[in-house]
Amino acid sequence: MTNATAPKEHSGDVRLSGISKTYGSFTAVHPLDLTVPQGSFFALLGASGCGKTTTLRMIAGLEEPSTGTVCLGEQDVTALPPYKRPVNTVFQSYALFPHLDIFENVAFGLRRRGIKSVKQQVGDMLDLVQLGEQARKKPHQLSGGQQQRVAVARALINHPKVLLLDEPLGALDLKLRRQMQLELKRIQTEVGITFVHVTHDQEEAMTMADTVAVMNGGRVEQQGAPADLYENPRTTFVANFLGTSNFIEAEVAEAGGDDVVLKAGGGKLTLPKARCTAPATTGGRVLVGVRPEKISLTHADDAGAIPDGRNRITGRIADSSFIGVSTQYVVNSPVCEAFEVYAQNIERDPRLVPGADVVLHWNPAHTFGLDADQDAEAGVEKVEEDA
Ligand SMILES: Nc1ncnc2c1ncn2[C@@H]1O[C@H](COP(=O)(O)OP(=O)(O)O)[C@@H](O)[C@H]1O
Ligand SMILES: [Mg+2]
């Protein structure tokens, strides 16, 4: 889809073509093609060790790719040293100059290029990150979040085409991290520069990014808008790594119409064919997935009141935790151990306690189907705090 205006429109793109990195016999990043549209907020999401930093460092020029090319806009920068690339990087450890005040930290890039009148630009940058009042303080007098904003201002003042951020919020506590996520998103929207943000935190990636690429073992498993990835995961890894998914292994009973009808245990489940990425042939196996917040719990005594047409399975509550906005239930079902159900705390049925027999039911439209040859537990393990 090229046209005459394409080069201009795409001048800020990051394009990786067949880029890979091997260390001896170990492949950290498998040949990877990735396009980051200009002006977008792009997140590379994955567990520790999956190759995020390596990918980012290849964009920055800090790591030489084993194969492939890096283009920034129209320019092939693969052979350029880092300082000649129109990119800047913000790391988890903000590494500000401790002896310089905030103003001078931000002015650093300009001064190094011999620019004398820095006042206006530094002032604008400090306003952008809302630290105008702190200009004459030293880094150690600021909070972690403020220091990280200085690091962002210090990078942005060089007017990079692309800002690379490697777990920039990793050292902050949860509440501050949430605040900074919104803050970074605001800054990106305001400056309109392409941000490539690396994180192992799925909530962070979904909050901030226009597009999320989920990495696993040196490969991008899937990329898309956060809601699309969440609702339509194509692998169990993505389904489990982004939030929580329940899986039921089922057998295809009928696949003639718009819906796939499946047998699980003694019951039947319905899955829209358009949401089934596995080959649906009669007698074949499919992993039926459904998110915990899509499911309703009804006490077995009231099962008759459940409307027709909903997918339903039976089970017994094994555990429940009151979270405030929701109650999270673990339900053991003959078709699935440890089914997770999140119920909003609106009207709580006091009978829904551990030991209660229940029916779990949901709208078939909220069901997705995946290839049953995959490990249903892929991506489940808890990620360490530091990546
Ligand atoms: N210089 C290196 N030499 C050997 N192995 C490396 C080197 N740098 C990274 N690796 C390995 O490559 C893999 C990916 O690392 P990295 O890109 O840092 O992952 P992430 O940022 O996703 O945590 C890891 O298994 C890591 O141990
Ligand atoms: Mg890393």
Side-chain angles (χ1 to χ4, degrees), residues 157-172:
I157 205 159
N158 299 315
H159 296 293
K161 278 198 170 126
V162 182
L163 188 68
L164 306 175
L165 303 113
D166 193 353
E167 312 253 4
L169 312 180
L172 309 178

Side-chain angles (χ1 to χ4, degrees), residues 41-75:
F41 201 125
F42 191 93
L44 275 177
L45 170 68
S48 177
C50 72
K52 305 180 298 292
T53 294
T54 305
T55 304
L56 208 68
R57 286 172 60 84
M58 290 193 284
I59 301 173
L62 299 166
E63 202 75 69
E64 193 184 335
S66 306
T67 62
T69 58
V70 179
C71 288
L72 298 172
E74 290 312 293
Q75 193 183 11

Side-chain angles (χ1 to χ4, degrees), residues 45-123:
L45 170 68
S48 177
C50 72
K52 305 180 298 292
T53 294
T54 305
T55 304
L56 208 68
R57 286 172 60 84
M58 290 193 284
I59 301 173
L62 299 166
E63 202 75 69
E64 193 184 335
S66 306
T67 62
T69 58
V70 179
C71 288
L72 298 172
E74 290 312 293
Q75 193 183 11
D76 183 335
V77 298
T78 316
L80 289 186
Y83 65 92
K84 287 198 175 157
R85 301 188 184 198
V87 304
N88 268 98
T89 311
V90 175
F91 300 97
Q92 177 176 330
S93 54
Y94 4 92
L96 302 176
F97 303 114
H99 55 289
L100 296 181
D101 67 18
I102 301 314
F103 185 97
E104 286 304 324
N105 263 282
V106 175
F108 184 79
L110 299 178
R111 296 224 192 272
R112 199 176 46 176
R113 282 186 280 145
I115 297 168
K116 294 251 159 50
S117 52
V118 301
K119 195 153 182 260
Q120 178 75 42
Q121 279 197 65
V122 174

